[in-house]
Amino acid sequence: MSRLSGKDIAEIAKLLDESHFTSLDLQMGEFKLRIRRDGGGGGGWSEREVDEVEAAPAPAPSPAPSAAAPAAAASDEVDVPAPLLGNFYAAPRPGEPPFVAVGDKVGPDTTIGIIEVMKLMNPIRAGVAGTITALLAENGTAVEEGQALIRVKVDG
């Protein structure tokens, strides 16, 4: 399971120091992060409360409705949903090849894309093992939580 490291949390705090925000509450599954800015005007963070819980296994993705879906998923296929809203990127950087393509084999930990939220890049994992049958989200577009990103024919 992926967790934020101390280095990740320090980087988030640094980004918040450079912003006008006074607090951050982040929850990803059972992982919770709460950071509050010191009200004393010093610009520092007086309280860093971190409640890190190993994320529970993600439930098996279920087919989610999507305007981009070419057709309904077959009985042996699942749509992998976006775990959060933001801008979806299919490649690590502009001009580079995409993380995955139709016909690629993926495992639960295979990165299928990135969702950017407030300038933070969040790698998105497949969560299932199988073969990609459709790419449902377009590179560089805004996606909503639960929107189907890819369709996978499940192994087995």
Side-chain angles (χ1 to χ4, degrees), residues 59-147:
S62 59
S66 170
S75 63
D76 61 346
E77 294 179 324
V78 295
D79 289 349
V80 176
L84 64 164
L85 66 91
N87 291 322
F88 175 75
Y89 296 103
R93 289 176 197 74
E96 289 192 12
F99 288 104
V100 294
V102 172
D104 286 356
K105 290 272 192 190
V106 295
D109 292 329
T110 302
T111 299
I112 62 164
I114 296 171
I115 294 181
E116 175 190 8
V117 180
M118 295 179 61
K119 302 195 187 225
L120 294 175
M121 301 299 179
N122 301 282
I124 308 304
R125 309 269 187 253
V128 297
T131 304
I132 297 176
T133 59
L135 303 175
L136 304 174
E138 194 172 320
N139 185 45
T141 60
V143 295
E144 294 188 26
E145 181 177 356
Q147 178 179 337

Side-chain angles (χ1 to χ4, degrees), residues 20-105:
H20 67 280
F21 296 104
T22 59
S23 65
L24 169 78
D25 289 298
L26 173 69
Q27 182 168 354
M28 297 168 48
E30 292 184 15
F31 173 85
K32 296 175 186 175
L33 171 67
R34 173 177 290 155
I35 302 176
R36 302 276 180 251
R37 186 187 303 257
D38 179 352
W45 298 91
S46 63
E47 175 187 342
R48 286 196 179 129
E49 177 185 328
V50 179
D51 179 15
E52 230 179 304
V53 179
E54 182 80 24
S62 59
S66 170
S75 63
D76 61 346
E77 294 179 324
V78 295
D79 289 349
V80 176
L84 64 164
L85 66 91
N87 291 322
F88 175 75
Y89 296 103
R93 289 176 197 74
E96 289 192 12
F99 288 104
V100 294
V102 172
D104 286 356
K105 290 272 192 190

